Amino acid sequence: MGFILGLMSAVFAASKDLLSKRLAFRIDGTASTFASFFFALPFYVIVLTILGLSGAETTTWTRSFLLLVFLRAVTDTAAEWLKMYALAYGDISIVATFFSLSPLFLLVTSPLITGDPLSWFEVAAVSLVVAGSIVMVYRPSLVGWQHQMKGILLASGAALFFSLNSCFDRLAVKEGTPVFTGFTMTLLSAVFLVPFVIGHPQRMEGLRTNWLGLTARGVLEIAFMVCKLAALQYLTAPDVVALQRLSLVLSIIGGRVFFKEADFVRRLLAGLLILGGAFVVGWVQRETLAQLLGW
């Protein structure tokens, strides 16, 4: 189940990133970061209400849970802020590649923060992910590469913070349900950014004129977050993040189709190598997947 949920989160993540790239031409990074949290909140409320009335949802207010939510909200706010500006400055297929550095950071942060042990198979999967991200795409001799540098640096910083918030996600879902955990994290992240948006006319206007696209992204945000948090109940943080790198392939294809980005074949080969990493993760989880499929 964790493997399937991880794949679903990758699809939603790619869809969300493609929409964010399109919105990056119309709205600045800070407003877009705030909107990624704020416009997801109404859908969280709807889902929580339905689950609460059916008796399928519980709330958690322990001190440790609230501390984890706070730490996750801080790191996620930083990660999303860096991500939105990275999408504004670089091709989506390039910056999405450097988002894929988060599994590399997780090899260090996950054992230290969550205490999850790593197998050699998981290390191999992460290594393939990083190799596909860097070696196949890195072409510093090209003039265009220099123009991408700001986006690359921002994306690398986002990857570091994404690795941290994945660790806090892993710990938080041990104490709370995926939907309630996602809601509290999203709410707190939105609150952090309110002072940077309210009272700023240009950003408020951007939210008003792009509300339809931002609302659609809000739906994708809650779908991505719930699938990710649910997957973390079954898999370790490095496993889930490695599976989510499948979204890179979709981002590369989407970058070519929707934004006419160059160097498609090389970037696609990078994505296919990352598929190899995800396959290794799936092989590690083969017993669970086999039971699901009835093999």
Side-chain angles (χ1 to χ4, degrees), residues 20-21 23-25 27-34 77-92 95 99 147-156 158 162 193 196-197 200 202-203 217:
S20 292
K21 177 63 177 177
L23 289 168
F25 297 112
I27 185 172
D28 90 309
T30 300
S32 186
T33 304
F34 169 75
T77 300
E80 286 292 334
W81 184 84
L82 290 167
K83 174 182 174 181
M84 296 306 172
Y85 277 101
L87 288 169
Y89 287 108
D91 290 351
I92 186 171
V95 297
F99 293 150
H147 296 164
Q148 304 283 343
M149 188 55 65
K150 191 169 186 178
I152 289 169
L153 293 175
L154 289 166
S156 299
F162 277 130
L193 291 166
F196 300 99
V197 177
H200 194 294
Q202 184 179 2
R203 288 171 180 165
R217 193 178 63 178

Side-chain angles (χ1 to χ4, degrees), residues 6-294:
L7 292 179
M8 291 174 61
S9 73
V11 173
F12 289 127
S15 303
K16 185 165 66 81
D17 286 349
L18 288 169
L19 186 52
S20 292
K21 177 63 177 177
R22 183 171 293 277
L23 289 168
F25 297 112
R26 307 172 186 173
I27 185 172
D28 90 309
T30 300
S32 186
T33 304
F34 169 75
S36 70
F37 300 120
F38 181 77
F39 280 81
L41 289 174
F43 300 104
Y44 271 114
V45 172
I46 292 172
V47 173
L48 281 171
T49 300
I50 294 173
L51 293 176
L53 291 175
S54 64
E57 184 65 34
T58 58
T59 59
T60 304
W61 299 107
T62 64
R63 181 178 300 177
S64 59
F65 175 77
L66 294 176
L67 176 60
L68 289 170
V69 166
F70 174 79
L71 292 173
R72 199 276 183 184
V74 170
T75 54
D76 195 37
T77 300
E80 286 292 334
W81 184 84
L82 290 167
K83 174 182 174 181
M84 296 306 172
Y85 277 101
L87 288 169
Y89 287 108
D91 290 351
I92 186 171
S93 51
I94 287 289
V95 297
T97 294
F98 281 84
F99 293 150
S100 298
L101 283 172
S102 57
L104 179 63
F105 293 124
L106 272 168
L107 288 178
V108 177
T109 57
S110 181
L112 290 176
I113 297 175
T114 69
D116 285 329
L118 293 176
S119 70
W120 285 108
F121 287 109
E122 290 167 320
V123 173
V126 170
S127 299
L128 282 174
V129 168
V130 175
S133 301
I134 304 302
V135 177
M136 296 294 292
V137 177
Y138 183 55
R139 301 182 72 182
S141 61
L142 295 184
V143 175
W145 181 267
Q146 300 302 320
H147 296 164
Q148 304 283 343
M149 188 55 65
K150 191 169 186 178
I152 289 169
L153 293 175
L154 289 166
S156 299
L160 172 59
F161 283 104
F162 277 130
S163 76
L164 293 172
N165 73 42
S166 291
C167 293
F168 296 130
D169 281 343
R170 168 72 169 160
L171 294 175
V173 293
K174 291 181 178 180
E175 300 194 28
T177 65
V179 178
F180 182 71
T181 301
F183 169 72
T184 52
M185 292 172 175
T186 301
L187 176 61
L188 193 54
S189 295
V191 169
F192 286 157
L193 291 166
V194 166
F196 300 99
V197 177
I198 301 299
H200 194 294
Q202 184 179 2
R203 288 171 180 165
M204 293 297 293
E205 178 64 16
L207 296 177
R208 187 186 67 81
T209 57
N210 294 283
W211 69 270
L212 186 59
L214 295 172
T215 300
R217 193 178 63 178
V219 175
L220 295 172
E221 172 67 27
I222 182 175
F224 157 73
M225 183 58 67
V226 171
C227 286
K228 175 187 175 182
L229 292 174
L232 284 167
Q233 292 184 318
Y234 300 94
L235 306 177
T236 65
D239 284 347
V240 173
V241 172
L243 285 171
Q244 286 179 328
R245 292 311 95 200
L246 291 170
S247 64
L248 175 57
V249 178
L250 300 178
S251 294
I252 292 170
I253 296 172
R256 178 65 173 180
V257 173
F258 297 111
F259 305 110
K260 310 302 179 185
E261 293 178 357
D263 205 14
F264 173 69
V265 174
R266 187 180 181 89
R267 296 175 188 182
L268 183 60
L269 287 175
L272 293 176
L273 187 55
I274 290 170
L275 279 175
F279 175 80
V280 174
V281 174
W283 191 80
V284 172
Q285 302 298 328
R286 62 194 182 283
E287 293 183 1
T288 301
L289 187 59
Q291 290 176 0
L292 262 177
L293 298 177

